[in-house]
Amino acid sequence: MKKQFNRMRQLANQTVGRAEKTEVLSEDLLQVEKRLDLVKQVSHSTHKKLTACLQGQQGTDVEKRSKKLPLTILAQCMVEGAAVLGDDSLLGKMLKLCGETEEKLAQELIQFEFQIERDVVEPLYVLAEVDIPNIQKQRKHLAKLVLDMDSARTRFHQSSKSSSHPSTLQPGAKSESLREEMEEAANRMEICRDQLSADMYSFVAKEIDYANYFQTLIETQAEYHRKSLEILHSILPQIKAHQEAWVEKPSFGKSLEEHLNISGREIAFPIEACVTMLLECGMQEEGLFRVAPSASKLKKLKASLDCGVLDVQEYSSDPHAIAGALKSYLRELPEPLMTTELYDEWIQASNIQDMDKRLQALMSACEKLPTDNLNNFRYLIKFLAKLSEYQDANKMTPGNMAIVLGSCCSSMMTTLSLQIVGIIEPIIQHADWFFPGDIEFNLTGSYGSPIHTNHNSNYSSMPSPDMDQSERKQQHDQSRRPLSVATDNMMLEFYKKDGYDASCVLLLPTSLTLFHFPCFSLFSSRPRLLAGI
């Protein structure tokens, strides 16, 4: 009790500056002491945040940790979903592959977190919560020993002073006792100081080891992500293969080449399906391609064509919806059927006044079409030529079809509309000269089997490009019908008919219809709204 009282009195005297306080640490160690507290704070904070990043439950074995890992739960959910949908479903196949992949990723994540715990999290905890606190605890103990030593020294000095007073009895024994106490306190302090100094110097020397914790963190993360990336790269080809092998892909808005490659077809499915159904139920429908269908019916038909499922009976009573779907497909092609590259050639051909030369120019442009485009253009033109056989009933002459399927035009630019007619009408009229031979429309055999034949024998005697002008003119006058290019009166009469559908351009470029209403074309699949309208 007396010793503790003396220590408190000494501490109080040092606090108010009435007693000397011995500093036993060097300036370097005092700087280390300050650094200890900073390193402890940083290590503690980093340990706490890093632990929060771990998804698994710390301290548990692999199996228990795996069960509660979110990635494992996701993998199980995907695999179960795949079992429900089955391998016949593309979504089921995707879920199965992805579920198995997520399970592999989960296992990599568990191994990664175990390694992080062992090599980073636990060492940081030991540094922040064990090693540094032990040094700080030892520092406090040293401070207490220094106080004991200072207190013993003070009492010894006071005893020495009082022993010199004449009235003091047996001063030597007490003074000697205090001196021994002082020396003993000093000895304990030195032992503690040396141990503390060694620990503090060791801390400084091990800073590179502490820094390695963070290097290990990054290296472990890099290895984890590398392995995860290998897993993902290994599964991607399988996923893409399933996607590419799946034939039930949307066709509207997709490139013609992509759709044909995926489906293994020569003629686009929407074109064949619509044409074949129209051959069965729409050839005598008045205003075909001209009368707008029900928007909801058209939307439903397009959606069914997109997924390859079509109820022929449902739409056989609505040929206008079928015609609208065909127009929509052509309108939404990213690259127009007659291609933007050949735009100038089509226009130049339309400006040729001599019919024979115009036909030759149009033939030259047709021959330059890519194979897929040419096959589908041929198929479409052959159908339109067959449709014109029923023009008395459906009111769709080649000229009318050229207008409706050629552009959305208004009465403002009749001259340019005549250019459009000058391209499409002669190709429809002379379909069997442009594309000789019969054509099987129903390639899949799903909607009947109409076959196109030369519906006008006069077409077979089209003039040869090798004939001279006199022979060409004579044969033209004797054996071929005159080309019926639409006149202004025909255009005006056509516009006056009810039910005209001016919603799209299928075959020719929008630049032919400057200042027209928004329209689409086989040259430009995007609508253009020009200023001033």
Side-chain angles (χ1 to χ4, degrees):
M1 180 66 71
K2 182 178 181 181
K3 189 175 182 179
Q4 291 178 349
F5 174 76
N6 290 331
R7 183 186 297 141
M8 293 177 61
R9 185 175 63 180
Q10 182 68 21
L11 180 60
N13 289 334
Q14 289 178 352
T15 303
V16 297
R18 293 185 300 178
E20 181 182 356
K21 180 179 180 181
T22 303
E23 185 55 69
V24 296
L25 295 179
S26 65
E27 186 64 29
D28 290 340
L29 290 179
L30 290 176
Q31 293 299 322
V32 173
E33 182 182 12
K34 294 179 180 178
R35 189 171 183 80
L36 279 170
D37 192 54
L38 296 176
V39 172
K40 178 183 178 182
Q41 294 177 20
V42 171
S43 300
H44 176 79
S45 176
T46 304
H47 170 267
K48 183 178 179 181
K49 302 302 180 184
L50 184 56
T51 302
C53 292
L54 302 179
Q55 299 182 37
Q57 186 176 356
Q58 285 185 268
T60 57
D61 58 29
V62 174
E63 185 177 355
K64 291 182 179 179
R65 190 168 192 151
S66 177
K67 290 180 179 179
K68 295 187 177 181
L69 196 68
L71 204 56
T72 303
I73 298 173
L74 172 62
Q76 292 174 346
C77 176
M78 287 183 169
V79 172
E80 291 171 1
V84 171
L85 296 176
D87 289 339
D88 293 337
S89 165
L90 177 60
L91 190 56
K93 293 180 179 180
M94 292 297 102
L95 282 172
K96 183 178 180 180
L97 286 174
C98 290
E100 293 171 350
T101 303
E102 296 299 335
E103 177 61 31
K104 293 179 182 178
L105 292 174
Q107 294 304 314
E108 288 296 332
L109 179 59
I110 290 173
Q111 296 301 322
F112 161 72
E113 291 192 351
F114 266 117
Q115 188 173 353
I116 289 296
E117 281 187 26
R118 184 188 68 235
D119 298 339
V120 182
V121 173
E122 291 180 3
L124 277 177
Y125 176 83
V126 172
L127 175 63
E129 307 299 334
V130 179
D131 292 346
I132 294 179
N134 284 342
I135 295 176
Q136 292 175 330
K137 183 178 180 181
Q138 197 171 2
R139 179 67 178 94
K140 292 179 180 180
H141 183 61
L142 177 62
K144 187 184 298 183
L145 293 177
V146 169
L147 190 60
D148 288 344
M149 182 189 71
D150 288 344
S151 176
R153 182 189 296 119
T154 301
R155 286 185 281 110
F156 172 72
H157 288 164
Q158 290 176 349
S159 176
S160 298
K161 290 180 182 180
S162 56
S163 64
S164 61
H165 197 276
S167 61
T168 303
L169 299 176
Q170 298 179 343
K174 184 177 181 180
S175 178
E176 183 65 21
S177 175
L178 291 174
R179 183 181 65 79
E180 290 177 358
E181 182 181 344
M182 178 187 68
E183 290 176 352
E184 185 180 351
N187 186 49
R188 289 197 300 269
M189 181 276 298
E190 288 179 4
I191 294 173
C192 183
R193 180 189 62 186
D194 292 342
Q195 182 63 46
L196 175 64
S197 299
D199 291 345
M200 294 178 76
Y201 282 129
S202 178
F203 166 79
V204 174
K206 288 182 178 179
E207 184 162 341
I208 188 172
D209 295 331
Y210 305 144
N212 281 338
Y213 299 157
F214 300 97
Q215 179 180 340
T216 300
L217 171 64
I218 300 302
E219 290 175 346
T220 306
Q221 284 181 315
E223 180 67 11
Y224 159 69
H225 288 297
R226 184 187 64 78
K227 291 181 178 179
S228 298
L229 191 59
E230 287 180 355
I231 293 173
L232 294 172
H233 278 317
S234 67
I235 199 65
L236 278 176
Q238 298 180 51
I239 290 177
K240 291 179 179 179
H242 281 300
Q243 295 274 21
E244 292 171 359
W246 194 257
V247 296
E248 296 178 10
K249 289 188 175 180
S251 51
F252 282 79
K254 304 297 181 181
S255 73
L256 180 65
E257 182 181 9
E258 177 186 357
H259 168 61
L260 297 180
N261 287 339
I262 292 172
S263 60
R265 304 175 61 89
E266 182 178 302
I267 304 300
F269 172 69
I271 294 179
E272 181 192 344
C274 291
V275 165
T276 312
M277 286 192 293
L278 288 175
L279 285 168
E280 291 288 334
C281 66
M283 302 302 284
Q284 300 190 47
E285 185 71 22
E286 183 174 349
L288 193 67
F289 292 108
R290 199 175 64 187
V291 176
S294 163
S296 60
K297 182 73 73 174
L298 176 59
K299 183 177 180 180
K300 180 181 178 181
L301 176 55
K302 287 175 60 178
S304 64
L305 289 170
D306 243 352
C307 65
V309 178
L310 187 61
D311 186 350
V312 178
Q313 293 298 118
E314 179 181 357
Y315 297 100
S316 60
S317 62
D318 193 353
H320 296 294
I322 302 172
L326 176 58
K327 289 160 62 178
S328 293
Y329 174 74
L330 296 171
R331 179 179 67 239
E332 294 173 18
L333 284 173
E335 169 68 15
L337 190 59
M338 294 175 73
T339 75
T340 54
E341 184 177 353
L342 295 175
Y343 169 78
D344 290 335
E345 289 199 38
W346 294 116
I347 301 307
Q348 290 171 8
S350 71
N351 292 329
I352 298 175
Q353 297 302 315
D354 183 86
M355 287 305 136
D356 294 335
K357 293 181 179 180
R358 182 188 299 183
L359 291 171
Q360 293 296 335
L362 292 173
M363 174 68 81
S364 176
C366 283
E367 291 173 347
K368 294 179 182 178
L369 285 170
T371 302
D372 290 335
N373 296 63
L374 180 60
N375 290 337
N376 283 268
F377 184 61
R378 172 178 175 267
Y379 184 94
L380 187 62
I381 291 298
K382 286 281 196 175
F383 163 70
L384 296 177
K386 192 170 186 64
L387 182 64
S388 67
E389 294 181 23
Y390 301 87
Q391 59 185 275
D392 291 341
N394 59 37
K395 310 303 181 186
M396 296 301 292
T397 64
N400 290 347
M401 284 186 281
I403 295 172
V404 176
L405 298 179
S407 67
C408 304
C409 56
S410 69
S411 60
M412 297 174 62
M413 296 296 291
T414 304
T415 302
L416 290 179
S417 298
L418 290 175
Q419 276 188 302
I420 300 173
V421 174
I423 296 172
I424 304 301
E425 183 184 25
I427 297 178
I428 296 175
Q429 286 182 320
H430 302 88
D432 294 314
W433 181 76
F434 280 93
F435 307 110
D438 298 342
I439 184 171
E440 173 69 55
F441 286 110
N442 193 4
L443 299 174
T444 58
S446 300
Y447 315 106
S449 55
I451 299 178
H452 171 80
T453 58
N454 291 354
H455 53 276
N456 191 317
S457 60
N458 290 332
Y459 293 151
S460 63
S461 58
M462 282 293 297
S464 168
D466 298 328
M467 293 182 180
D468 59 35
Q469 188 63 28
S470 60
E471 292 176 335
R472 183 187 301 274
K473 185 177 187 303
Q474 181 180 5
Q475 183 171 349
H476 172 80
D477 292 339
Q478 294 178 354
S479 61
R480 181 163 57 86
R481 292 190 306 180
L483 188 64
S484 172
V485 179
T487 63
D488 288 359
N489 290 335
M490 182 276 291
M491 297 285 290
L492 293 174
E493 179 182 354
F494 178 79
Y495 294 140
K496 292 177 182 178
K497 294 182 178 181
D498 295 332
Y500 174 61
D501 175 14
S503 62
C504 64
V505 175
L506 293 184
L507 297 176
L508 288 180
T510 56
S511 56
L512 283 179
T513 55
L514 297 176
F515 308 105
H516 286 191
F517 295 108
C519 58
F520 301 84
S521 76
L522 292 180
F523 287 102
S524 175
S525 59
R526 296 178 175 85
R528 301 179 184 177
L529 180 58
L530 303 183
I533 300 303

